[in-house]
Amino acid sequence: MELFANLALGMQTAFSLEALLFCFAGVFVGTFVGALPGIGPLVAISVTLPLTFGLDSTIALIMLAGIFYGAQYGGSVTSILLNLPGTASTAVTALDGYPMTRDGRAGLALFTNAAASFAGSSFAIILVMAFAPAIGRIAMDFNSTEYFSVMVLGLVAASTLSNGSTIKSFAMITFGLILGLVGMDLNSGAQRYTFGILQLTDGLSLIAVAMGMFGVAEIINKIAAPDSTATQRGAGGIGLRAMLPRRDELRRFWGPTGRGAALGSMVGALPGAGPSIASFMAYAVEKRVSRDPGKFGKGAIEGVAAPESANNASVQAAFIPTLSLGIPGDVVMAVLLGAMMMHGVVPGPAFISNEPAMFWALVVSFWIGNVMLLVLNIPLIGLFVKLVSIPGRFLYPTVMFFICMGSYSINNSTFDVYVTLVFGVLGYILLRFGFQPAPVLLGFILGPLIEENLRRSLVIARGDPMVFLDRPVSVALLSLSLLLILAPILRHLVVRWRGARHAG
Amino acid sequence: MHADDASDTIAPGAGSDLLAGGFLFAWAGVGWIGYLTNERLRASLESPSPDPGPALLALIVLWGLTLGGTAVTASGVWRRARGGRLRDGLEDARTHLRPAAFVVTLILLAVLLRPLGFLPAAGVFTACWLYGLTAGARLSLRHAALALLGGVLLPLGLQLVFAGLLLVPLPR
């Protein structure tokens, strides 16, 4: 009964004309930026953030969240039609989605994408409704040691589960933690890594760092091959009839969608892991459980349904740790967390009990937004494909201005524009060296929180580090972190042992 | 980004690992200088207070970054010892020419915003890049005219929408 009362509370706000309008604006912008390679939801959220300062905080969050999950839909459309993933999490969809387009089954691939995305999102929204308030209630009893351990787990998960080298991810997390420490320590007044620069006393701006590392860096990267994304046409004009699946195709849809939703929700709820990992894992699982793995990569419906369901479920489930613990589920969530703070909302265990109307309005808006996306994706596919054809020479300077305006307008500070550019160059260098920039941002966000809880725990325990092993939750979380660190080494040893046994 | 592409980044190799390790060392070096030249920060470690102070985490993460740099460099040394060439994993320097030029103009744009104002600085930046990305090395009047037009219309449009309608302040 309490659930229905809460949903009714959320509906009051979410179904207001203003909320519907901004939800639509969010998912539309999200779909657009998701379709454009190089401009992800993170840049879009950062750029639109200043525009939301005049709005009610709930409406602003509804719009910003809409950009995030809308981007997953948009990215998939271009993956399927043009073999151009707009976001990293939709790259795996192209493996089977694009062959379907080449086989003349683009309509079916788009239907599978839209339906699986909606199913995955809906499943994860139910989990958000069920678990976020419960986790929030449990977390109210957390002390600083448990908070510290949750954040350590998030950082370890981000370095061990991310794509690419674990060592490089670990290095990026430490780099992010250092960036998070820049500025004046509020307890002692000591300056850290400010090098006498007055503007650094308050620390680096999250938005400036995020837009630099993800927006400017990506544009610099694309400038090397400016029109690689441009002028690909010819995939528009798909009718509704071409989208409808046959009965046997529908039968092959449900299993992968269900498994993708479950896996994606699990990965998304883990602090530090994001939709890219979810979609790649879902694809790998589907290939493994399939009776005919050879069909993957040649236009298998399962190869579209599973990753799409997983990445959308992951995006929605990422709201669980963000809203209930104040720990971002992934890098875009980190920026969304920053946006919430700028709107005077403090995410964390007390958020849901202090702001029930905002939480439930947000949850209801997720569903409204996903229905809008389902409806939007069918008639507007041709338009999104045309938008992707905007030549880079127009797109990149325009986006550069959006980024500069976004970073400037947060504090009306030219220094933030310089910071954005510096981190843009840094992000480009990191990309060229094979480093993932996402762990940097997670380390940057979690750094001050980790330090606060580390110091508080040690103060309470009079400097005894064993305090982190006093409470079972903390022990469990730290053990899980250790397991994640040791897992690759153990896997390696097992493989070698098996190899030796076979050779023997 | 094409889905077929393995990655936008360079493949790991002896050369790229050594350079990446050096890059991490450089940042760790900046961090160590920041730490070692900050007497107040270092002194906080010796404080008798139960609060471990602002230096504790700073020190831990600096060691973490140094260890990360060591591990990546060691990987490069290992690849080299196994016959890898220093060139392995490194791109042709010419690949970075256009990105480097873009960065230089971005810095110029940021510097010129204050003395010139948003419209002229943004106009020059837009016109230059519209021309550079369209015509490449070839001189073309048509492309130059298009770039000039873009250089006028794009910043004007942005000024109108953002500063005029949405009341978002523009960098200056």
Side-chain angles (χ1 to χ4, degrees), chain A residues 51 85 188 191-192 222 393 401-402 405 408 412 428 431-432 455, chain B residues 1 8-10 38 40 51 54 91 96 126 130 134 168-170:
Chain A
L51 305 179
S188 64
Q191 302 276 345
R192 287 182 295 195
K222 297 281 177 205
R393 61 180 181 274
F401 289 129
F402 282 149
M405 287 188 299
Y408 176 82
N412 287 358
Y428 173 71
L431 279 174
R432 304 322 298 171
R455 284 168 69 175
Chain B
M1 176 171 58
D8 270 353
T9 61
I10 51 178
N38 192 333
R40 188 174 172 190
D51 180 1
E91 293 165 306
H96 305 295
T126 311
L130 273 179
T134 314
V168 174
L170 295 176

PDB file of all heavy atoms in Angstrom, chain A residues 51 85 188 191-192 222 393 401-402 405 408 412 428 431-432 455, chain B residues 1 8-10 38 40 51 54 91 96 126 130 134 168-170:
ATOM      1  N   LEU A  51      21.444  25.644 -17.741  1.00  0.00           N
ATOM      2  CA  LEU A  51      20.095  26.045 -18.170  1.00  0.00           C
ATOM      3  C   LEU A  51      19.035  25.653 -17.141  1.00  0.00           C
ATOM      4  O   LEU A  51      17.922  26.171 -17.147  1.00  0.00           O
ATOM      5  CB  LEU A  51      19.735  25.384 -19.509  1.00  0.00           C
ATOM      6  CG  LEU A  51      20.684  25.595 -20.676  1.00  0.00           C
ATOM      7  CD1 LEU A  51      20.189  24.867 -21.903  1.00  0.00           C
ATOM      8  CD2 LEU A  51      20.849  27.068 -20.977  1.00  0.00           C
ATOM      9  N   PRO A  85      28.376   3.561 -33.445  1.00  0.00           N
ATOM     10  CA  PRO A  85      27.823   3.672 -32.083  1.00  0.00           C
ATOM     11  C   PRO A  85      28.003   5.082 -31.537  1.00  0.00           C
ATOM     12  O   PRO A  85      29.117   5.603 -31.524  1.00  0.00           O
ATOM     13  CB  PRO A  85      28.659   2.677 -31.278  1.00  0.00           C
ATOM     14  CG  PRO A  85      29.473   1.926 -32.259  1.00  0.00           C
ATOM     15  CD  PRO A  85      29.576   2.737 -33.499  1.00  0.00           C
ATOM     16  N   SER A 188      41.958  21.389   8.368  1.00  0.00           N
ATOM     17  CA  SER A 188      43.205  21.990   8.857  1.00  0.00           C
ATOM     18  C   SER A 188      43.546  23.311   8.175  1.00  0.00           C
ATOM     19  O   SER A 188      44.397  24.049   8.653  1.00  0.00           O
ATOM     20  CB  SER A 188      44.355  21.008   8.615  1.00  0.00           C
ATOM     21  OG  SER A 188      44.510  20.806   7.221  1.00  0.00           O
ATOM     22  N   GLN A 191      46.794  23.766   2.307  1.00  0.00           N
ATOM     23  CA  GLN A 191      46.591  23.737   0.855  1.00  0.00           C
ATOM     24  C   GLN A 191      47.253  22.476   0.298  1.00  0.00           C
ATOM     25  O   GLN A 191      48.341  22.107   0.723  1.00  0.00           O
ATOM     26  CB  GLN A 191      47.255  24.961   0.207  1.00  0.00           C
ATOM     27  CG  GLN A 191      46.760  26.281   0.716  1.00  0.00           C
ATOM     28  CD  GLN A 191      45.487  26.736   0.023  1.00  0.00           C
ATOM     29  OE1 GLN A 191      45.119  26.210  -1.019  1.00  0.00           O
ATOM     30  NE2 GLN A 191      44.803  27.702   0.607  1.00  0.00           N
ATOM     31  N   ARG A 192      46.569  21.853  -0.683  1.00  0.00           N
ATOM     32  CA  ARG A 192      47.185  20.678  -1.306  1.00  0.00           C
ATOM     33  C   ARG A 192      47.194  20.850  -2.822  1.00  0.00           C
ATOM     34  O   ARG A 192      46.156  21.095  -3.429  1.00  0.00           O
ATOM     35  CB  ARG A 192      46.407  19.408  -0.941  1.00  0.00           C
ATOM     36  CG  ARG A 192      46.629  19.003   0.494  1.00  0.00           C
ATOM     37  CD  ARG A 192      45.904  17.742   0.824  1.00  0.00           C
ATOM     38  NE  ARG A 192      44.453  17.902   0.755  1.00  0.00           N
ATOM     39  CZ  ARG A 192      43.600  17.042   1.274  1.00  0.00           C
ATOM     40  NH1 ARG A 192      44.037  15.961   1.867  1.00  0.00           N
ATOM     41  NH2 ARG A 192      42.304  17.240   1.188  1.00  0.00           N
ATOM     42  N   LYS A 222      38.560  13.366 -32.545  1.00  0.00           N
ATOM     43  CA  LYS A 222      37.838  13.274 -33.822  1.00  0.00           C
ATOM     44  C   LYS A 222      38.440  14.201 -34.879  1.00  0.00           C
ATOM     45  O   LYS A 222      38.312  13.934 -36.068  1.00  0.00           O
ATOM     46  CB  LYS A 222      36.359  13.647 -33.632  1.00  0.00           C
ATOM     47  CG  LYS A 222      35.601  12.717 -32.724  1.00  0.00           C
ATOM     48  CD  LYS A 222      35.206  11.458 -33.449  1.00  0.00           C
ATOM     49  CE  LYS A 222      34.511  10.496 -32.491  1.00  0.00           C
ATOM     50  NZ  LYS A 222      34.598   9.113 -32.898  1.00  0.00           N
ATOM     51  N   ARG A 393      32.879  19.375 -39.581  1.00  0.00           N
ATOM     52  CA  ARG A 393      33.389  20.756 -39.623  1.00  0.00           C
ATOM     53  C   ARG A 393      32.397  21.745 -39.007  1.00  0.00           C
ATOM     54  O   ARG A 393      32.796  22.792 -38.520  1.00  0.00           O
ATOM     55  CB  ARG A 393      33.746  21.163 -41.046  1.00  0.00           C
ATOM     56  CG  ARG A 393      32.605  21.138 -42.027  1.00  0.00           C
ATOM     57  CD  ARG A 393      33.070  21.566 -43.420  1.00  0.00           C
ATOM     58  NE  ARG A 393      31.957  21.554 -44.358  1.00  0.00           N
ATOM     59  CZ  ARG A 393      31.555  20.491 -45.039  1.00  0.00           C
ATOM     60  NH1 ARG A 393      32.165  19.326 -44.868  1.00  0.00           N
ATOM     61  NH2 ARG A 393      30.546  20.565 -45.885  1.00  0.00           N
ATOM     62  N   PHE A 401      31.986  25.350 -28.514  1.00  0.00           N
ATOM     63  CA  PHE A 401      31.401  26.548 -27.886  1.00  0.00           C
ATOM     64  C   PHE A 401      30.426  26.166 -26.777  1.00  0.00           C
ATOM     65  O   PHE A 401      30.397  26.785 -25.726  1.00  0.00           O
ATOM     66  CB  PHE A 401      30.700  27.428 -28.925  1.00  0.00           C
ATOM     67  CG  PHE A 401      31.672  28.119 -29.828  1.00  0.00           C
ATOM     68  CD1 PHE A 401      31.537  28.057 -31.190  1.00  0.00           C
ATOM     69  CD2 PHE A 401      32.743  28.824 -29.303  1.00  0.00           C
ATOM     70  CE1 PHE A 401      32.444  28.685 -32.022  1.00  0.00           C
ATOM     71  CE2 PHE A 401      33.655  29.454 -30.129  1.00  0.00           C
ATOM     72  CZ  PHE A 401      33.502  29.385 -31.489  1.00  0.00           C
ATOM     73  N   PHE A 402      29.636  25.124 -27.040  1.00  0.00           N
ATOM     74  CA  PHE A 402      28.707  24.667 -25.994  1.00  0.00           C
ATOM     75  C   PHE A 402      29.490  24.308 -24.735  1.00  0.00           C
ATOM     76  O   PHE A 402      29.098  24.644 -23.619  1.00  0.00           O
ATOM     77  CB  PHE A 402      27.917  23.435 -26.461  1.00  0.00           C
ATOM     78  CG  PHE A 402      26.788  23.755 -27.401  1.00  0.00           C
ATOM     79  CD1 PHE A 402      26.396  22.867 -28.383  1.00  0.00           C
ATOM     80  CD2 PHE A 402      26.097  24.950 -27.288  1.00  0.00           C
ATOM     81  CE1 PHE A 402      25.352  23.150 -29.247  1.00  0.00           C
ATOM     82  CE2 PHE A 402      25.050  25.252 -28.141  1.00  0.00           C
ATOM     83  CZ  PHE A 402      24.687  24.348 -29.123  1.00  0.00           C
ATOM     84  N   MET A 405      30.897  27.405 -23.045  1.00  0.00           N
ATOM     85  CA  MET A 405      29.823  28.164 -22.386  1.00  0.00           C
ATOM     86  C   MET A 405      29.348  27.430 -21.140  1.00  0.00           C
ATOM     87  O   MET A 405      29.098  28.041 -20.110  1.00  0.00           O
ATOM     88  CB  MET A 405      28.651  28.381 -23.349  1.00  0.00           C
ATOM     89  CG  MET A 405      28.994  29.403 -24.417  1.00  0.00           C
ATOM     90  SD  MET A 405      27.610  29.891 -25.436  1.00  0.00           S
ATOM     91  CE  MET A 405      27.126  28.418 -26.199  1.00  0.00           C
ATOM     92  N   TYR A 408      31.984  27.790 -18.400  1.00  0.00           N
ATOM     93  CA  TYR A 408      32.066  29.187 -17.934  1.00  0.00           C
ATOM     94  C   TYR A 408      30.865  29.544 -17.061  1.00  0.00           C
ATOM     95  O   TYR A 408      31.004  30.168 -16.003  1.00  0.00           O
ATOM     96  CB  TYR A 408      32.130  30.126 -19.142  1.00  0.00           C
ATOM     97  CG  TYR A 408      32.120  31.596 -18.765  1.00  0.00           C
ATOM     98  CD1 TYR A 408      33.293  32.235 -18.377  1.00  0.00           C
ATOM     99  CD2 TYR A 408      30.944  32.337 -18.786  1.00  0.00           C
ATOM    100  CE1 TYR A 408      33.293  33.570 -18.017  1.00  0.00           C
ATOM    101  CE2 TYR A 408      30.930  33.673 -18.432  1.00  0.00           C
ATOM    102  CZ  TYR A 408      32.100  34.289 -18.053  1.00  0.00           C
ATOM    103  OH  TYR A 408      32.097  35.611 -17.685  1.00  0.00           O
ATOM    104  N   ASN A 412      30.723  31.525 -13.712  1.00  0.00           N
ATOM    105  CA  ASN A 412      31.117  32.723 -14.462  1.00  0.00           C
ATOM    106  C   ASN A 412      32.631  32.945 -14.376  1.00  0.00           C
ATOM    107  O   ASN A 412      33.104  34.044 -14.091  1.00  0.00           O
ATOM    108  CB  ASN A 412      30.400  33.963 -13.929  1.00  0.00           C
ATOM    109  CG  ASN A 412      28.946  33.973 -14.325  1.00  0.00           C
ATOM    110  OD1 ASN A 412      28.493  33.067 -15.032  1.00  0.00           O
ATOM    111  ND2 ASN A 412      28.205  34.965 -13.892  1.00  0.00           N
ATOM    112  N   TYR A 428      42.897  13.677 -24.109  1.00  0.00           N
ATOM    113  CA  TYR A 428      43.329  13.203 -25.428  1.00  0.00           C
ATOM    114  C   TYR A 428      44.591  12.344 -25.281  1.00  0.00           C
ATOM    115  O   TYR A 428      44.673  11.251 -25.854  1.00  0.00           O
ATOM    116  CB  TYR A 428      43.600  14.410 -26.334  1.00  0.00           C
ATOM    117  CG  TYR A 428      44.215  14.046 -27.665  1.00  0.00           C
ATOM    118  CD1 TYR A 428      43.469  13.399 -28.644  1.00  0.00           C
ATOM    119  CD2 TYR A 428      45.542  14.336 -27.944  1.00  0.00           C
ATOM    120  CE1 TYR A 428      44.030  13.055 -29.866  1.00  0.00           C
ATOM    121  CE2 TYR A 428      46.115  13.999 -29.163  1.00  0.00           C
ATOM    122  CZ  TYR A 428      45.361  13.360 -30.114  1.00  0.00           C
ATOM    123  OH  TYR A 428      45.915  13.005 -31.319  1.00  0.00           O
ATOM    124  N   LEU A 431      43.716   9.025 -23.823  1.00  0.00           N
ATOM    125  CA  LEU A 431      43.087   8.152 -24.821  1.00  0.00           C
ATOM    126  C   LEU A 431      44.137   7.541 -25.739  1.00  0.00           C
ATOM    127  O   LEU A 431      44.079   6.362 -26.066  1.00  0.00           O
ATOM    128  CB  LEU A 431      42.095   8.945 -25.675  1.00  0.00           C
ATOM    129  CG  LEU A 431      40.714   9.202 -25.097  1.00  0.00           C
ATOM    130  CD1 LEU A 431      39.912  10.111 -26.006  1.00  0.00           C
ATOM    131  CD2 LEU A 431      39.962   7.887 -24.909  1.00  0.00           C
ATOM    132  N   ARG A 432      45.095   8.368 -26.163  1.00  0.00           N
ATOM    133  CA  ARG A 432      46.124   7.869 -27.086  1.00  0.00           C
ATOM    134  C   ARG A 432      47.009   6.824 -26.428  1.00  0.00           C
ATOM    135  O   ARG A 432      47.543   5.950 -27.085  1.00  0.00           O
ATOM    136  CB  ARG A 432      47.015   9.004 -27.633  1.00  0.00           C
ATOM    137  CG  ARG A 432      46.328  10.146 -28.339  1.00  0.00           C
ATOM    138  CD  ARG A 432      45.161   9.774 -29.200  1.00  0.00           C
ATOM    139  NE  ARG A 432      45.443   8.894 -30.315  1.00  0.00           N
ATOM    140  CZ  ARG A 432      44.512   8.335 -31.075  1.00  0.00           C
ATOM    141  NH1 ARG A 432      43.251   8.544 -30.837  1.00  0.00           N
ATOM    142  NH2 ARG A 432      44.845   7.548 -32.064  1.00  0.00           N
ATOM    143  N   ARG A 455      39.306   9.590   7.542  1.00  0.00           N
ATOM    144  CA  ARG A 455      39.803  10.365   8.682  1.00  0.00           C
ATOM    145  C   ARG A 455      38.846  10.279   9.873  1.00  0.00           C
ATOM    146  O   ARG A 455      39.277  10.143  11.014  1.00  0.00           O
ATOM    147  CB  ARG A 455      40.038  11.822   8.259  1.00  0.00           C
ATOM    148  CG  ARG A 455      41.307  11.947   7.436  1.00  0.00           C
ATOM    149  CD  ARG A 455      41.450  13.276   6.762  1.00  0.00           C
ATOM    150  NE  ARG A 455      41.701  14.374   7.673  1.00  0.00           N
ATOM    151  CZ  ARG A 455      41.948  15.624   7.257  1.00  0.00           C
ATOM    152  NH1 ARG A 455      41.997  15.887   5.966  1.00  0.00           N
ATOM    153  NH2 ARG A 455      42.163  16.581   8.130  1.00  0.00           N
TER     154      ARG A 455
ATOM    155  N   MET B   1      33.662   6.734 -34.535  1.00  0.00           N
ATOM    156  CA  MET B   1      33.956   5.422 -33.945  1.00  0.00           C
ATOM    157  C   MET B   1      33.141   4.356 -34.664  1.00  0.00           C
ATOM    158  O   MET B   1      31.933   4.320 -34.586  1.00  0.00           O
ATOM    159  CB  MET B   1      33.603   5.464 -32.459  1.00  0.00           C
ATOM    160  CG  MET B   1      33.762   4.143 -31.763  1.00  0.00           C
ATOM    161  SD  MET B   1      33.578   4.279 -29.971  1.00  0.00           S
ATOM    162  CE  MET B   1      31.956   4.963 -29.774  1.00  0.00           C
ATOM    163  N   ASP B   8      39.859   3.289 -30.451  1.00  0.00           N
ATOM    164  CA  ASP B   8      40.352   4.559 -30.971  1.00  0.00           C
ATOM    165  C   ASP B   8      41.787   4.809 -30.534  1.00  0.00           C
ATOM    166  O   ASP B   8      42.441   5.709 -31.001  1.00  0.00           O
ATOM    167  CB  ASP B   8      39.480   5.699 -30.441  1.00  0.00           C
ATOM    168  CG  ASP B   8      38.320   5.985 -31.370  1.00  0.00           C
ATOM    169  OD1 ASP B   8      38.309   5.374 -32.448  1.00  0.00           O
ATOM    170  OD2 ASP B   8      37.461   6.798 -31.008  1.00  0.00           O
ATOM    171  N   THR B   9      42.246   4.030 -29.579  1.00  0.00           N
ATOM    172  CA  THR B   9      43.552   4.308 -29.002  1.00  0.00           C
ATOM    173  C   THR B   9      44.606   3.425 -29.632  1.00  0.00           C
ATOM    174  O   THR B   9      44.309   2.512 -30.380  1.00  0.00           O
ATOM    175  CB  THR B   9      43.528   4.043 -27.492  1.00  0.00           C
ATOM    176  OG1 THR B   9      43.202   2.670 -27.307  1.00  0.00           O
ATOM    177  CG2 THR B   9      42.501   4.900 -26.797  1.00  0.00           C
ATOM    178  N   ILE B  10      45.869   3.719 -29.270  1.00  0.00           N
ATOM    179  CA  ILE B  10      46.951   2.940 -29.841  1.00  0.00           C
ATOM    180  C   ILE B  10      47.047   1.588 -29.155  1.00  0.00           C
ATOM    181  O   ILE B  10      46.637   1.429 -28.019  1.00  0.00           O
ATOM    182  CB  ILE B  10      48.284   3.701 -29.710  1.00  0.00           C
ATOM    183  CG1 ILE B  10      48.494   4.155 -28.268  1.00  0.00           C
ATOM    184  CG2 ILE B  10      48.343   4.839 -30.665  1.00  0.00           C
ATOM    185  CD1 ILE B  10      49.809   4.866 -28.055  1.00  0.00           C
ATOM    186  N   ASN B  38      55.573  21.340   0.415  1.00  0.00           N
ATOM    187  CA  ASN B  38      54.519  21.871   1.282  1.00  0.00           C
ATOM    188  C   ASN B  38      54.801  21.437   2.729  1.00  0.00           C
ATOM    189  O   ASN B  38      54.405  20.352   3.169  1.00  0.00           O
ATOM    190  CB  ASN B  38      53.166  21.338   0.812  1.00  0.00           C
ATOM    191  CG  ASN B  38      52.000  22.043   1.455  1.00  0.00           C
ATOM    192  OD1 ASN B  38      52.118  22.556   2.557  1.00  0.00           O
ATOM    193  ND2 ASN B  38      50.879  22.054   0.755  1.00  0.00           N
ATOM    194  N   ARG B  40      53.753  22.560   5.601  1.00  0.00           N
ATOM    195  CA  ARG B  40      52.591  22.446   6.497  1.00  0.00           C
ATOM    196  C   ARG B  40      51.889  21.091   6.308  1.00  0.00           C
ATOM    197  O   ARG B  40      51.456  20.473   7.279  1.00  0.00           O
ATOM    198  CB  ARG B  40      51.630  23.587   6.190  1.00  0.00           C
ATOM    199  CG  ARG B  40      50.512  23.666   7.188  1.00  0.00           C
ATOM    200  CD  ARG B  40      49.664  24.876   6.966  1.00  0.00           C
ATOM    201  NE  ARG B  40      48.497  24.820   7.823  1.00  0.00           N
ATOM    202  CZ  ARG B  40      47.487  25.637   7.714  1.00  0.00           C
ATOM    203  NH1 ARG B  40      47.495  26.599   6.823  1.00  0.00           N
ATOM    204  NH2 ARG B  40      46.456  25.530   8.519  1.00  0.00           N
ATOM    205  N   ASP B  51      43.400  12.865  14.458  1.00  0.00           N
ATOM    206  CA  ASP B  51      43.127  13.054  13.014  1.00  0.00           C
ATOM    207  C   ASP B  51      44.428  12.838  12.244  1.00  0.00           C
ATOM    208  O   ASP B  51      45.418  13.526  12.497  1.00  0.00           O
ATOM    209  CB  ASP B  51      42.606  14.481  12.784  1.00  0.00           C
ATOM    210  CG  ASP B  51      42.295  14.744  11.309  1.00  0.00           C
ATOM    211  OD1 ASP B  51      42.470  13.812  10.487  1.00  0.00           O
ATOM    212  OD2 ASP B  51      41.874  15.868  10.981  1.00  0.00           O
ATOM    213  N   PRO B  54      45.661  15.994   6.608  1.00  0.00           N
ATOM    214  CA  PRO B  54      45.420  16.054   5.158  1.00  0.00           C
ATOM    215  C   PRO B  54      46.499  15.370   4.314  1.00  0.00           C
ATOM    216  O   PRO B  54      46.336  15.233   3.119  1.00  0.00           O
ATOM    217  CB  PRO B  54      45.396  17.560   4.883  1.00  0.00           C
ATOM    218  CG  PRO B  54      46.207  18.168   5.968  1.00  0.00           C
ATOM    219  CD  PRO B  54      46.016  17.310   7.177  1.00  0.00           C
ATOM    220  N   GLU B  91      52.159   5.921 -32.677  1.00  0.00           N
ATOM    221  CA  GLU B  91      51.575   6.393 -33.931  1.00  0.00           C
ATOM    222  C   GLU B  91      52.535   7.338 -34.627  1.00  0.00           C
ATOM    223  O   GLU B  91      53.452   7.887 -34.008  1.00  0.00           O
ATOM    224  CB  GLU B  91      50.287   7.158 -33.644  1.00  0.00           C
ATOM    225  CG  GLU B  91      49.196   6.282 -33.102  1.00  0.00           C
ATOM    226  CD  GLU B  91      48.106   7.126 -32.494  1.00  0.00           C
ATOM    227  OE1 GLU B  91      48.413   7.951 -31.632  1.00  0.00           O
ATOM    228  OE2 GLU B  91      46.955   6.969 -32.895  1.00  0.00           O
ATOM    229  N   HIS B  96      49.072  13.615 -35.053  1.00  0.00           N
ATOM    230  CA  HIS B  96      48.706  14.551 -33.988  1.00  0.00           C
ATOM    231  C   HIS B  96      48.803  16.017 -34.421  1.00  0.00           C
ATOM    232  O   HIS B  96      48.559  16.896 -33.599  1.00  0.00           O
ATOM    233  CB  HIS B  96      49.603  14.320 -32.769  1.00  0.00           C
ATOM    234  CG  HIS B  96      49.586  12.903 -32.287  1.00  0.00           C
ATOM    235  ND1 HIS B  96      48.457  12.319 -31.774  1.00  0.00           N
ATOM    236  CD2 HIS B  96      50.541  11.951 -32.286  1.00  0.00           C
ATOM    237  CE1 HIS B  96      48.728  11.061 -31.463  1.00  0.00           C
ATOM    238  NE2 HIS B  96      49.979  10.812 -31.773  1.00  0.00           N
ATOM    239  N   THR B 126      35.793  29.864 -35.439  1.00  0.00           N
ATOM    240  CA  THR B 126      34.873  29.074 -36.266  1.00  0.00           C
ATOM    241  C   THR B 126      35.279  29.127 -37.738  1.00  0.00           C
ATOM    242  O   THR B 126      35.343  28.088 -38.411  1.00  0.00           O
ATOM    243  CB  THR B 126      33.427  29.610 -36.128  1.00  0.00           C
ATOM    244  OG1 THR B 126      33.146  29.763 -34.756  1.00  0.00           O
ATOM    245  CG2 THR B 126      32.421  28.691 -36.758  1.00  0.00           C
ATOM    246  N   LEU B 130      36.270  25.904 -39.821  1.00  0.00           N
ATOM    247  CA  LEU B 130      35.370  25.517 -40.922  1.00  0.00           C
ATOM    248  C   LEU B 130      36.188  25.386 -42.197  1.00  0.00           C
ATOM    249  O   LEU B 130      36.040  24.439 -42.959  1.00  0.00           O
ATOM    250  CB  LEU B 130      34.277  26.573 -41.125  1.00  0.00           C
ATOM    251  CG  LEU B 130      33.022  26.436 -40.279  1.00  0.00           C
ATOM    252  CD1 LEU B 130      32.049  27.563 -40.582  1.00  0.00           C
ATOM    253  CD2 LEU B 130      32.349  25.104 -40.539  1.00  0.00           C
ATOM    254  N   THR B 134      37.247  21.779 -43.968  1.00  0.00           N
ATOM    255  CA  THR B 134      36.578  21.568 -45.253  1.00  0.00           C
ATOM    256  C   THR B 134      37.602  21.463 -46.376  1.00  0.00           C
ATOM    257  O   THR B 134      37.622  20.516 -47.149  1.00  0.00           O
ATOM    258  CB  THR B 134      35.632  22.747 -45.581  1.00  0.00           C
ATOM    259  OG1 THR B 134      34.882  23.053 -44.439  1.00  0.00           O
ATOM    260  CG2 THR B 134      34.713  22.404 -46.731  1.00  0.00           C
ATOM    261  N   VAL B 168      22.000  32.718 -20.482  1.00  0.00           N
ATOM    262  CA  VAL B 168      23.218  32.054 -20.002  1.00  0.00           C
ATOM    263  C   VAL B 168      24.393  32.971 -20.317  1.00  0.00           C
ATOM    264  O   VAL B 168      24.548  33.408 -21.460  1.00  0.00           O
ATOM    265  CB  VAL B 168      23.421  30.693 -20.714  1.00  0.00           C
ATOM    266  CG1 VAL B 168      24.748  30.069 -20.337  1.00  0.00           C
ATOM    267  CG2 VAL B 168      22.275  29.766 -20.358  1.00  0.00           C
ATOM    268  N   PRO B 169      25.228  33.302 -19.309  1.00  0.00           N
ATOM    269  CA  PRO B 169      26.348  34.204 -19.596  1.00  0.00           C
ATOM    270  C   PRO B 169      27.366  33.550 -20.530  1.00  0.00           C
ATOM    271  O   PRO B 169      27.617  32.354 -20.438  1.00  0.00           O
ATOM    272  CB  PRO B 169      26.968  34.462 -18.224  1.00  0.00           C
ATOM    273  CG  PRO B 169      26.521  33.332 -17.376  1.00  0.00           C
ATOM    274  CD  PRO B 169      25.204  32.872 -17.915  1.00  0.00           C
ATOM    275  N   LEU B 170      27.911  34.337 -21.446  1.00  0.00           N
ATOM    276  CA  LEU B 170      28.912  33.811 -22.379  1.00  0.00           C
ATOM    277  C   LEU B 170      30.315  34.132 -21.858  1.00  0.00           C
ATOM    278  O   LEU B 170      30.502  35.147 -21.180  1.00  0.00           O
ATOM    279  CB  LEU B 170      28.722  34.451 -23.760  1.00  0.00           C
ATOM    280  CG  LEU B 170      27.412  34.127 -24.462  1.00  0.00           C
ATOM    281  CD1 LEU B 170      27.296  34.899 -25.766  1.00  0.00           C
ATOM    282  CD2 LEU B 170      27.301  32.645 -24.742  1.00  0.00           C
TER     283      LEU B 170
END
